[in-house]
Amino acid sequence: MAPVKPQKPKSSSSAKGAKPSKSSKPKGRGSTHNPTGTAKPKPSNPAKKKQRVYTEKELGIPALNMITPAGVQKPKGKKKGKVFVDDQESMMTILAMVNADKEGQIESKMMKARQMEEIREARKKEAEARQAEKRSKLEETKESLRRKKKSKTNAASDESAAAPAKSTKPSKKRVSFG
């Protein structure tokens, strides 16, 4: 025969399927019900607490937030980059340094522009001089050609006038069958 489990005596108060209550453990959460079983009303507070709004002075926000130029010395232990200027004098020195740097850049650009303009003007003058030389050479060649033409026509007219006087022989007609 197989072994049989010993059965516990059943109590009359506990019914089948009902769990025995454990009153030894305290509940973690507060109950939403009263001991009578009705729901607890929520406390209604018409004037809720307003969140406080802080001013800039209370938060300690600086008045001016700027980037320091390379020439300004930074105290050790502070981050590089933005510096909060407290006094007006240091701010003015920083602005003066930045403005001087910008003016120097503008002046150098203007100097370069002037130099380029001078170079362009010099090139224009050279090109005009070259064109004037070409024109003068062209005029000279034209004049020389005209002189040659005139001298040839004058020589031909002189020869034609002198030729009939010298030769009184009638010229023979020649015919070629080609």
Side-chain angles (χ1 to χ4, degrees):
M1 233 172 139
V4 180
K5 273 187 174 180
Q7 293 183 349
K8 291 184 183 177
K10 292 184 181 177
S11 65
S12 61
S13 64
S14 64
K16 190 176 181 184
K19 292 183 181 178
S21 65
K22 296 181 182 177
S23 61
S24 62
K25 286 189 179 177
K27 289 190 177 182
R29 288 188 228 150
S31 177
T32 57
H33 290 79
N34 284 338
T36 58
T38 59
K40 289 182 183 176
K42 289 186 180 179
S44 61
N45 206 357
K48 290 184 180 179
K49 283 188 177 180
K50 292 182 181 178
Q51 289 185 343
R52 186 167 178 218
V53 178
Y54 294 97
T55 61
E56 291 181 6
K57 289 181 182 177
E58 288 174 338
L59 292 172
I61 297 174
L64 183 61
N65 185 6
M66 294 183 63
I67 297 172
T68 56
V72 177
Q73 289 183 349
K74 301 171 188 84
K76 289 187 178 180
K78 287 194 174 184
K79 288 184 178 180
K80 292 181 182 178
K82 292 185 179 180
V83 171
F84 302 105
V85 178
D86 295 330
D87 58 339
Q88 199 73 8
E89 187 177 328
S90 63
M91 181 183 69
M92 295 309 288
T93 56
I94 292 169
L95 283 173
M97 290 172 64
V98 171
N99 286 337
D101 188 30
K102 289 290 179 184
E103 286 175 5
Q105 289 176 356
I106 291 170
E107 286 178 10
S108 66
K109 285 182 182 177
M110 290 177 69
M111 293 281 287
K112 285 182 182 177
R114 285 184 196 133
Q115 288 176 350
M116 293 301 290
E117 190 65 30
E118 289 173 359
I119 291 170
R120 285 188 199 111
E121 288 176 5
R123 287 181 181 168
K124 279 184 184 178
K125 286 181 182 178
E126 288 176 6
E128 288 174 1
R130 276 191 238 119
Q131 284 183 344
E133 271 186 51
K134 285 182 182 178
R135 285 184 198 137
S136 64
K137 283 184 181 178
L138 182 65
E139 291 298 322
E140 286 177 15
T141 53
K142 283 182 184 178
E143 287 295 319
S144 65
L145 289 174
R146 285 182 192 145
R147 285 185 206 135
K148 286 181 183 176
K149 212 177 200 184
K150 282 184 181 178
S151 65
K152 283 184 180 178
T153 54
N154 288 341
S157 64
D158 288 342
E159 287 178 11
S160 63
K166 289 181 182 176
S167 63
T168 54
K169 288 185 185 177
S171 62
K172 291 185 179 178
K173 293 184 181 179
R174 295 184 183 178
V175 179
S176 65
F177 299 97

